[in-house]
Amino acid sequence: MSYRVAKSAPKQFITKGPKLQSIVINTMQRISDAVSSSLGPGGRPSLLEPSLPGLPPKITKDGVSIFKSLGAFDPYEHLIIETALSSSMRTASEAGDGTTTTTLLAYELIKNIFDFCEKNPKQSPQKTVRRIRKVMDETLLPYIAARSIKVNEESKNLLLNVATISANGEKALAEAVLKCFEEVGFGESSHVTIRELPGPSGYSVERIEGYPMPVGLEESSGKYFSSFINDQANQRCYLENPKFILFDGALQDLLPLQPLFNAIEDRIQQSPTEAKEFKSIVLVAHGFSETVISTLAFNFEQTGTLRIVPLRSPMAQFMNAQTHWMTDLAAFTGAKVFGMRNQVTEAALEDIGSGMESFEATRFRSTLSGNPDPVNIEYRADELKKQLKKAESIAEAGWLEERVAKITSGIAKLTIIGSSPSEIKERADRAEDAVCSIRSSITHGVLEGGGRVYLDMALKIGEELCEGDAAREVLIPSLLCVISKLLDNAGYHEAEAKEVFAMLIENREEVYDVENMTFGSAENLGIFDASKAVSEALRNSVEIASVLGTLGGIVCHPRDAEFERKEATLDSEWAKVSANSDAYQNPALNRK
């Protein structure tokens, strides 16, 4: 009798050589062309097909949205796309803007690193990227910080200019975004939520009572976060009239909450008119086991069950920060905090809060809107102000000030009205960029725009580093590409671009307005960029270029469309069976 030995899945690979270099550079060039075509006033939007059925196409100039929509049949190319995406995603999460520039810089850096290593085969690629990182950390990032212009509430014109650039030159949108900050203050904790409505094109701004939270679905529920998205068009979880269960600890099992779930179900059966009020629940804890999250994810997708969304309390650098945050949330919602002192098994219906109108959670942020008890808010704010007077450090004082602002300042709601879903989404993306640029400008300052700072960084490197230096050879042409792309998108020929470069080099105090074809000071022309967007674009592009620019091989699975469809079906079925098995042990969640 003979036996066959089971083999591992087949893979394909390439190693160091012209083919690998060609695949990486060509793929990054395609990515850069697709994303950077939206850069600047001459940039154009892209039309994106949604990944989920039934959703309208999306028109956007948002770099990270375009990047996230990309893919390739070739497994090598697709793997490179997924790897490079991390740089733009990080820029988006850290600065909210600058994602297009990140992608453009990453391609140029990778191409120039390959070129330098090919011309200097005896120099270690790792030594090359270490040198580039060192120059970035010790020269360029401090230079950006030193050039930054600090802004405050008095610098509204500067903030308006930054918002206008991020909004692709639409001043009406920038003014609406700035008005939102005027409603809730110009602090780092100022929160703006964006709402989309069909109708005649326009914008409206209003202040609503709300509580912003720096944590969203992805951090709270991990790989299950998509199960809690019930508004697919806006990729968010939206609940009306939510109740809150606050647990001061990590939740490993839903069994202690069983009596409370039973009480809620009994109330719904006794009073069907209150069903809507008690159907939506936000379960807040310091952490959740996978069993708890999978059970909640399965039940959230079912009809006729309690819709419970897990929300993880955000961490900070201070002792018991999660508990303090939960106490703030309790003051806003009117809910009771359960833990060691108050056992959750003894929770009653009056302990889950009231007066909340809606809860909205995206991947990284959440917003709670409602009418909190003013007595609770005033009492908690007084407590925090007393703690602020005894703060042990500047950092702790800033943290306490932020918490006071969050529970007292409210939320500004920017409503974007448009005639079609595509138009509304495109303007909403630009509005979000403008909001993020104002927020980061308040904390980190602004810089002269139009690529001026990138050109000055290239000139600084040229003056300080000698020829042949790896950082000089790689960074100078990479940094100059930002202005080149701005001019290229605006239809400038090579000779015209050279004239612009010559004028900018000769007049170091001026910037160039590509749209209006004029030179002048940044203040007179109103062209500024958020410093945070510039520094994060540089940092993240160098990081990803350090990886992809020094590759010595790629190993991946060959693509098999039929096999992948079968695997996806099996994974989906297994997840449902697993979640159903967990939910079976918690019958209150499955009551109809």
Side-chain angles (χ1 to χ4, degrees), residues 387-560:
Q387 294 175 30
L388 180 59
K389 294 178 181 178
K390 299 179 181 180
E392 297 291 336
S393 65
I394 295 176
E396 185 179 2
W399 179 55
L400 289 166
E401 287 175 352
E402 178 181 347
R403 290 168 58 195
V404 172
K406 282 186 176 181
I407 65 172
T408 59
S409 296
I411 297 170
K413 180 168 68 175
L414 171 61
T415 302
I416 297 177
I417 309 169
S419 57
S420 69
S422 297
E423 177 198 356
I424 296 173
K425 289 299 297 179
E426 190 270 334
R427 289 159 68 192
D429 284 340
R430 290 191 283 118
E432 190 168 348
D433 284 348
V435 169
C436 292
S437 65
I438 287 183
R439 187 178 288 120
S440 64
S441 296
I442 293 168
T443 55
H444 297 90
V446 299
L447 293 164
E448 296 91 339
R452 174 79 256 182
V453 174
Y454 293 100
L455 174 59
D456 288 347
M457 285 191 288
L459 294 173
K460 183 176 180 62
I461 291 174
E463 294 168 357
E464 296 185 0
L465 305 183
C466 60
E467 291 187 10
D469 188 296
R472 176 190 173 104
E473 301 300 322
V474 172
L475 286 171
I476 288 180
S478 301
L479 293 169
L480 294 178
C481 76
V482 177
I483 296 182
S484 297
K485 193 63 182 179
L486 283 169
L487 297 172
D488 182 60
N489 283 350
Y492 284 67
H493 299 300
E494 184 177 351
E496 295 171 320
K498 286 182 178 179
E499 290 180 10
V500 172
F501 271 106
M503 288 291 292
L504 290 174
I505 293 172
E506 183 180 349
N507 302 288
R508 301 284 286 267
E509 302 299 321
E510 292 188 347
V511 301
Y512 184 63
D513 185 346
V514 176
E515 186 172 18
N516 297 308
M517 297 180 289
T518 51
F519 291 91
S521 67
E523 186 175 355
N524 290 336
L525 297 178
I527 299 178
F528 290 92
D529 290 329
S531 299
K532 183 73 169 176
V534 174
S535 60
E536 287 300 321
L538 178 62
R539 179 184 287 110
N540 294 318
S541 59
V542 167
E543 289 301 320
I544 197 63
S546 300
V547 176
L548 292 179
T550 59
L551 281 183
I554 301 177
V555 181
C556 60
H557 289 280
R559 293 295 183 260
D560 185 329

Side-chain angles (χ1 to χ4, degrees), residues 188-193 208-215 311 314 325 329 332 359-360 365-369 402-403 405-412 439:
E188 186 177 1
S189 60
S190 301
H191 196 78
V192 178
T193 183
I208 58 176
E209 294 298 328
Y211 184 73
M213 294 171 275
V215 63
L311 185 68
W325 178 85
L329 183 60
F332 193 88
F359 171 77
E360 174 187 345
R365 283 179 175 270
S366 302
T367 303
L368 175 62
S369 302
E402 178 181 347
R403 290 168 58 195
K406 282 186 176 181
I407 65 172
T408 59
S409 296
I411 297 170
R439 187 178 288 120

Side-chain angles (χ1 to χ4, degrees), residues 46-358:
S46 294
L47 179 63
L48 311 180
E49 182 181 11
S51 56
L52 296 172
L55 297 180
K58 181 178 181 179
I59 300 175
T60 184
K61 282 189 68 179
D62 180 47
V64 73
S65 296
I66 298 172
F67 204 153
K68 286 164 63 177
S69 69
L70 300 179
F73 284 109
D74 184 271
Y76 296 134
E77 293 182 8
H78 192 76
L79 191 59
I80 293 168
I81 290 172
E82 290 185 334
T83 305
L85 176 59
S86 62
S87 61
S88 285
M89 292 287 288
R90 182 162 180 80
T91 302
S93 62
E94 293 290 335
D97 199 5
T99 54
T100 304
T101 306
T102 302
T103 307
L104 175 62
L105 281 174
Y107 161 61
E108 294 290 338
L109 287 165
I110 291 168
K111 181 181 68 174
N112 292 322
I113 288 173
F114 271 124
D115 287 344
F116 181 82
C117 292
E118 189 174 358
K119 294 175 183 176
N120 302 272
K122 293 184 179 180
Q123 180 162 323
S124 165
Q126 283 70 35
K127 182 179 179 181
T128 300
V129 297
R130 283 198 300 269
R131 175 60 179 162
I132 294 170
R133 283 200 191 104
K134 184 177 181 180
V135 172
M136 176 189 71
D137 291 333
E138 297 180 1
T139 303
L140 299 184
L141 293 180
Y143 179 72
I144 292 172
R147 283 279 296 268
S148 296
I149 304 168
K150 301 301 180 184
V151 298
N152 50 40
E153 293 186 34
E154 315 302 324
S155 313
K156 291 182 181 179
N157 284 337
L158 279 178
L159 294 175
L160 179 61
N161 291 333
V162 171
T164 303
I165 297 295
S166 295
N168 195 31
E170 186 178 347
K171 195 167 184 179
L173 175 55
E175 289 173 344
V177 171
L178 186 62
K179 186 177 179 181
C180 290
F181 282 90
E182 291 174 345
E183 289 287 339
V184 294
F186 289 86
E188 186 177 1
S189 60
S190 301
H191 196 78
V192 178
T193 183
I194 299 173
R195 181 188 182 196
E196 302 165 10
L197 285 179
S201 295
Y203 307 100
S204 66
V205 175
E206 61 179 310
R207 184 180 183 276
I208 58 176
E209 294 298 328
Y211 184 73
M213 294 171 275
V215 63
L217 295 175
E218 189 165 304
E219 186 177 348
S220 300
S221 48
K223 63 183 179 182
Y224 295 96
F225 82 91
S226 59
S227 300
F228 297 98
I229 294 177
N230 59 358
D231 182 358
Q232 294 291 347
N234 295 301
Q235 285 293 288
R236 64 174 182 169
C237 172
Y238 184 80
L239 302 178
E240 292 183 352
N241 307 119
K243 300 296 183 181
F244 279 77
I245 301 175
L246 308 181
F247 183 73
D248 186 13
L251 200 58
Q252 303 297 329
D253 193 358
L254 290 172
L255 191 60
L257 298 172
Q258 197 77 36
L260 181 57
F261 292 151
N262 290 336
I264 293 173
E265 288 286 353
D266 290 341
R267 172 56 95 48
I268 292 173
Q269 292 178 5
Q270 293 170 7
S271 179
T273 57
E274 296 182 348
K276 184 177 180 180
E277 183 178 350
F278 284 92
K279 277 287 186 180
S280 299
I281 299 172
V282 181
L283 177 58
V284 186
H286 301 335
F288 303 93
S289 68
E290 187 161 340
T291 300
V292 169
I293 296 176
S294 63
T295 302
L296 297 179
F298 173 78
N299 283 276
F300 191 86
E301 295 179 325
Q302 310 304 309
T303 57
T305 62
L306 296 180
R307 305 170 74 191
I308 305 175
V309 178
L311 185 68
R312 186 172 181 174
S313 52
M315 299 185 69
Q317 68 270 38
F318 303 99
M319 185 68 71
N320 298 324
Q322 291 176 295
T323 300
H324 294 312
W325 178 85
M326 196 169 288
T327 307
D328 295 345
L329 183 60
F332 193 88
T333 61
K336 188 175 182 179
V337 179
F338 296 97
M340 294 290 291
R341 186 176 301 175
N342 303 308
Q343 295 298 313
V344 72
T345 52
E346 301 174 359
L349 292 182
E350 56 268 21
D351 297 329
I352 58 177
S354 61
M356 298 299 101
E357 295 177 358
S358 66

